[in-house]
Amino acid sequence: MELAIGGGGGVGGSGGDDHHDQPSDPNRDKKRYHRHTAEQIQLLEATFKECPHPDEKMRLQLSRELGLNPRQIKFWFQNRRTQLKAKSEMADNCLLRVENDKIRSENIAIKEALKNALCITCGGPPVAQDHLLEEQRLRFENAHLKEELDRVSGIAAKFMGRPLSLFAPAAVPPSHLSALDLSMASYVGGTQHQMIPVASGSGGPSLDLDLFTTTGMAAQPPTIHPSHPLRPTDKSIVVDIATAAMDELLKLFQTDEPLWTKSAVDGRNVLEIDTYERIFPRPNTSIKNPHLWIEGSRASGDVMMHSMQLVDMFADSTKWADLFPTIVSKARTIEVISSGVFGDQSRSLQLMYEELQVVSPLVPIRQFLFIRYIQQIEPETWAVVDVSYDPPQDDDGFPYSQLNSRRLPSGCLIHGMPNGYSKVIWIEHLEIEEKTAVHRLYRDLIYSGLAFGAERWVACLQRSCERIVCQMVTNSNSSVRELGGVIPSADGKKIVMNLAQRMVNNFCTSIVPSSGHLGTSVSDFDDFEVHMALYKSSDPSQANTMVLAVATTVWMPFSPQFVFDFLRNESNRHQWDVLTNHNPVQEVTHIANGAHPGNCISLLRTQNTSQTNILILQESCTDSSGSLVVYCPVDLPVINIALSGEDPLYVPLLPSGFAITTDGRQSSTTSPATGDSSGQNPTAGSLVTLMVQSVIGGPAWGKLGPESMTTINNLMGNTIRQIKAGLNCSSTTI
């Protein structure tokens, strides 16, 4: 604020500085006020409007015209500016005070609402903030203690000659049952057949590998993420990219022809690429890469889940991967840029990394680094957009060249419906660089866009949400058929369903592409290839354990549904499962986890054997995108420990099973073209992937020899041949 020294009383001002000129005057303590005339004030005001800061020349001219001292002119202008500034500040303060009162009222209302708030998931009161902070602190402390425990365990292992197993339940030692241990004497109680050698003293059956070096070993590609957090300038770029992508996605939702057309082959909604590039031009599109192509598709469906719950699950990378186990093999949040506003996910923004897969060793994974932006469009409508993020050129720690895919604006529109369901419209829009040739078995499926199309995402989401709802049903009699007294309660049902989900997730992430994990050995056998991969288990029950995953994919001239029904039916199991020593099996527990009769979880017991403490946990699931039949031997005592309240994460699971998809040709996605009961179709069929796993024992885990290779090939070959015989199939070649 500008202060006038020695004059000026508001607009009228004060004249004179005579008391400064006469310090000896006895009346110097009395101030003499001078009121400007109306004509003087009018001229001063007019001049002030034109020039609030007059120079010395202008002040002298005004003093002559008005008959005032130049100091009086100077002080009048100073006071006038001060007065105007004070009025402006007073008006601003009034506006701020009103805004502050409004915010204070809203804050009080929100606090009152939170007192009566209920959790959407559990229906209970929300967790207090201090409890959340304490939980976070305990998580950090737990992670630190686990690191310290691993360090101490490593030191102890050097002196004891074996690693310490500190995480298994104390009541029953972990049972490392292996699908590749063909002896299985404790499992089926039968005559031992030709088997892979079993290492002694390893705490359970495992595969002992010969000391020969294999060929074709490939290193696992590293998880791709930036080497440092986003800088403020990068975050502003991310916000701009996300906003533009959201605008483009909403236009894609709202536009039909000519941007979207129906495929003449299967009637799917596919993106017309030329029209898209004309409406949404992108830089550098004139440079054509012969190995680069764009695929876009749109699909919709009703999902058995509330819109808010779906949005919350999409914002969590772990829950996101659990929703799509057959598509998302790995997902990770790199950095949360915005966690949303008003306590929900609206305007949430994060940088994520994920790997997408087809459940087969023949199809390389697709890697994406992308931005996920969630915005509430209407009270019951949300939009989720994903768009690839290109790291800055100076981020030397980012191996951008390893990415083989980019996500053009993709995502979904989620609209909540009165019945608690959600209407989901999905757009999948990808730019793919073909760095390796597509395997001949998967050319039709990949190039048609079915492998990663919107239809597959919607179908998988519908199935996963249906499973979640079945798990939440408290009345166990409505979904559990108990035949053997294994599951005593509804809580037991949830525990078994959690074990089955963990088993399925392990199966889907363990089928390694031909480029992947610690190494892959490919061996020709008959008319298909056997792929082997070594990886370090991340399962809590088998932490840091080396596991061998063996997988093969074959073509069969049957519809996927026909093959799925054959493999999931326990009455057919003795025809192909070497684990049962070809003995029949009986279903002792059946848990439905979907409307389709094939979506279920079963506990199977082998008949004609003295060993009744070992069951087979199996989950089968199917939708229009494909099917799974996954199984794993489990100890009944270990199951009982989990059902009694112990952490089921430490129940050892090493799953094997089948993944079944269409081969990409239209006639294979429907019933068999011949119409007969065999289901055989000479022109189209199914792609069936078989995988078995085994714990690797001994110091030679990194080497495979001729004897082990022969045993593995015989195992896979015999299983495939027995399935073909059971299906009356003469050939598995296209």
Side-chain angles (χ1 to χ4, degrees):
M1 181 178 293
E2 300 179 63
L3 299 177
I5 302 175
V11 176
S14 70
D17 49 356
D18 300 332
H19 59 284
H20 293 288
D21 298 333
Q22 300 174 4
S24 61
D25 191 338
N27 298 324
R28 64 182 180 275
D29 294 332
K30 296 181 181 180
K31 293 184 177 179
R32 293 184 296 132
Y33 295 95
H34 174 76
R35 294 290 181 181
H36 297 313
T37 65
E39 293 78 6
Q40 290 174 332
I41 293 175
Q42 185 178 3
L43 182 58
L44 289 170
E45 287 287 356
T47 307
F48 182 82
K49 289 181 181 180
E50 296 179 359
C51 181
H53 295 271
D55 55 16
E56 186 176 356
K57 181 179 179 181
M58 187 178 295
R59 288 198 300 270
L60 289 174
Q61 182 180 352
L62 285 172
S63 67
R64 289 192 297 267
E65 292 178 0
L66 298 175
L68 296 175
N69 191 295
R71 284 176 66 88
Q72 289 178 298
I73 301 297
K74 177 180 179 181
F75 291 150
W76 187 93
F77 274 91
Q78 286 182 350
N79 291 334
R80 188 68 181 90
R81 290 193 298 267
T82 302
Q83 184 186 44
L84 189 63
K85 185 176 181 181
K87 287 183 179 181
S88 176
E89 290 178 349
M90 186 180 300
D92 291 342
N93 289 338
C94 290
L95 292 175
L96 291 174
R97 189 178 297 109
V98 172
E99 187 68 22
N100 189 34
D101 292 340
K102 181 181 177 181
I103 294 174
R104 185 183 293 108
S105 300
E106 291 179 356
N107 189 23
I108 294 172
I110 291 173
K111 287 183 178 179
E112 290 297 326
L114 287 177
K115 291 180 181 178
N116 302 320
L118 293 177
C119 177
I120 296 177
T121 304
C122 65
V127 181
Q129 185 67 21
D130 54 343
H131 291 172
L132 293 174
L133 294 175
E134 178 65 15
E135 181 182 353
Q136 186 178 14
R137 186 190 66 80
L138 291 175
R139 288 182 183 275
F140 281 122
E141 183 178 351
N142 189 31
H144 173 72
L145 291 175
K146 283 186 177 181
E147 292 178 358
E148 183 67 16
L149 184 59
D150 291 340
R151 186 183 66 84
V152 175
S153 178
I155 296 174
K158 293 181 180 180
F159 294 95
M160 298 175 63
R162 59 182 177 85
L164 296 177
S165 299
L166 300 177
F167 297 106
V172 178
S175 173
H176 298 290
L177 293 174
S178 168
L180 281 182
D181 177 20
L182 303 189
S183 63
M184 298 300 287
S186 62
Y187 180 72
V188 296
T191 305
Q192 295 185 4
H193 297 274
Q194 183 182 10
M195 69 192 75
I196 298 175
V198 176
S200 60
S202 61
S206 60
L207 182 64
D208 190 16
L209 304 180
D210 298 328
L211 299 178
F212 288 88
T213 303
T214 59
T215 60
M217 305 295 287
Q220 178 186 4
T223 297
I224 297 178
H225 56 83
S227 58
H228 52 71
L230 292 174
R231 297 165 295 192
T233 54
D234 297 335
K235 291 182 179 180
S236 64
I237 295 174
V238 167
V239 171
D240 293 339
I241 294 173
T243 304
M246 178 64 74
D247 293 340
E248 180 175 324
L249 184 70
L250 294 178
K251 292 178 182 177
L252 291 173
F253 281 128
Q254 297 164 359
T255 308
D256 291 320
E257 294 184 352
L259 195 58
W260 296 97
T261 59
K262 282 191 174 295
S263 171
V265 178
D266 51 20
R268 297 184 303 125
N269 268 334
V270 294
L271 186 65
E272 183 62 40
I273 303 302
D274 293 336
T275 306
Y276 168 79
E277 292 181 342
R278 186 170 61 254
I279 298 176
F280 304 101
R282 295 181 298 125
N284 300 327
T285 54
S286 58
I287 304 176
K288 298 296 183 180
N289 185 344
H291 302 290
L292 198 70
W293 82 87
I294 296 176
E295 59 185 46
S297 57
R298 183 173 66 176
S300 63
D302 295 343
V303 177
M304 195 182 295
M305 186 70 66
H306 192 273
S307 58
M308 278 291 296
Q309 290 177 293
L310 275 179
V311 170
D312 288 339
M313 297 175 80
F314 282 18
D316 186 315
S317 59
T318 301
K319 295 179 181 179
W320 165 259
D322 288 340
L323 280 175
F324 305 97
T326 58
I327 303 177
V328 182
S329 63
K330 182 182 296 183
R332 176 172 176 243
T333 298
I334 303 298
E335 185 170 346
V336 176
I337 301 167
S338 171
S339 57
V341 294
F342 301 122
D344 58 35
Q345 300 297 338
S346 182
R347 306 284 181 179
S348 68
L349 183 64
Q350 54 186 308
L351 182 65
M352 299 178 64
Y353 169 79
E354 72 176 0
E355 296 177 0
L356 305 185
Q357 66 171 355
V358 171
V359 188
S360 170
L362 302 181
V363 181
I365 59 174
R366 293 184 176 182
Q367 301 167 308
F368 298 90
L369 181 73
F370 64 97
I371 303 162
R372 171 159 294 173
Y373 180 43
I374 300 175
Q375 181 178 344
Q376 188 172 14
I377 307 300
E378 295 176 358
E380 291 295 333
T381 304
W382 299 76
V384 181
V385 65
D386 296 340
V387 61
S388 281
Y389 171 68
D390 299 334
Q393 296 295 327
D394 57 350
D395 190 353
D396 297 333
F398 186 88
Y400 181 72
S401 60
Q402 295 188 18
L403 289 176
N404 56 4
S405 309
R406 295 186 76 254
R407 204 176 235 126
L408 303 178
S410 307
C412 61
L413 198 65
I414 305 172
H415 177 68
M417 297 189 292
N419 60 356
Y421 284 38
S422 297
K423 181 75 172 181
V424 176
I425 307 174
W426 199 289
I427 289 178
E428 195 65 14
H429 190 193
L430 307 176
E431 183 181 72
I432 310 301
E433 183 179 2
E434 188 179 285
K435 295 187 175 181
T436 58
V438 178
H439 195 278
R440 61 180 180 84
L441 291 179
Y442 281 92
R443 284 174 189 162
D444 292 319
L445 186 65
I446 297 295
Y447 291 141
S448 67
L450 287 171
F452 297 96
E455 298 81 6
R456 187 182 176 208
W457 287 93
V458 172
C460 190
L461 179 63
Q462 289 174 317
R463 185 183 67 194
S464 295
C465 291
E466 197 176 38
R467 188 187 196 280
I468 293 172
V469 172
C470 290
Q471 187 171 3
M472 294 171 62
V473 175
T474 56
N475 184 7
S476 61
N477 294 330
S478 64
S479 58
V480 178
R481 186 168 72 248
E482 181 58 60
L483 305 174
V486 178
I487 302 178
S489 64
D491 291 337
K493 164 197 162 185
K494 292 183 180 180
I495 291 174
V496 172
M497 291 188 75
N498 287 333
L499 285 174
Q501 182 177 8
R502 200 180 107 215
M503 175 182 69
V504 170
N505 291 347
N506 181 294
F507 173 83
C508 293
T509 57
S510 300
I511 297 185
V512 188
S514 57
S515 61
H517 286 315
L518 295 181
T520 301
S521 178
V522 181
S523 175
D524 292 331
F525 185 85
D526 198 11
D527 53 358
F528 56 87
E529 298 174 344
V530 176
H531 295 255
M532 287 165 280
L534 287 167
Y535 70 94
K536 184 178 292 186
S537 173
S538 59
D539 192 277
S541 64
Q542 298 169 335
N544 299 323
T545 302
M546 297 307 303
V547 176
L548 174 67
V550 184
T552 185
T553 298
V554 298
W555 178 84
M556 293 188 178
F558 305 98
S559 68
Q561 189 64 47
F562 186 82
V563 178
F564 170 73
D565 290 338
F566 173 82
L567 292 174
R568 76 177 180 88
N569 192 338
E570 67 273 10
S571 62
N572 298 327
R573 194 179 192 95
H574 69 279
Q575 299 183 48
W576 55 266
D577 189 3
V578 296
L579 287 176
T580 64
N581 201 21
H582 300 291
N583 287 319
V585 298
Q586 176 190 3
E587 185 181 52
V588 297
T589 299
H590 179 97
I591 303 175
N593 60 4
H596 192 285
N599 291 336
C600 63
I601 299 169
S602 303
L603 284 172
L604 308 175
R605 177 179 284 131
T606 305
Q607 297 178 335
N608 302 330
T609 176
S610 59
Q611 299 294 331
T612 60
N613 285 337
I614 296 180
L615 303 176
I616 300 176
L617 175 64
Q618 174 176 293
E619 176 163 357
S620 59
C621 53
T622 184
D623 57 48
S624 59
S625 69
S627 308
L628 292 177
V629 179
V630 184
Y631 53 89
C632 175
V634 291
D635 282 336
L636 182 58
V638 175
I639 289 288
N640 290 333
I641 290 175
L643 295 177
S644 66
E646 292 289 337
D647 191 349
L649 284 176
Y650 300 118
V651 175
L653 297 174
L654 197 62
S656 302
F658 301 89
I660 309 154
T661 65
T662 174
D663 61 3
R665 285 177 285 179
Q666 171 62 13
S667 55
S668 68
T669 60
T670 59
S671 60
T674 57
D676 58 19
S677 58
S678 68
Q680 189 159 349
N681 187 341
T683 61
S686 306
L687 297 174
V688 182
T689 297
L690 164 65
M691 186 193 75
V692 294
Q693 297 189 88
S694 174
V695 172
I696 303 301
W701 57 264
K703 299 177 180 179
L704 286 173
E707 180 183 353
S708 298
M709 291 281 292
T710 301
T711 305
I712 291 171
N713 286 339
N714 288 339
L715 167 68
M716 304 297 284
N718 289 335
T719 302
I720 295 298
R721 281 194 293 270
Q722 289 165 3
I723 292 174
K724 289 167 56 179
L727 291 170
N728 295 322
C729 174
S730 59
S731 174
T732 56
T733 58
I734 298 179

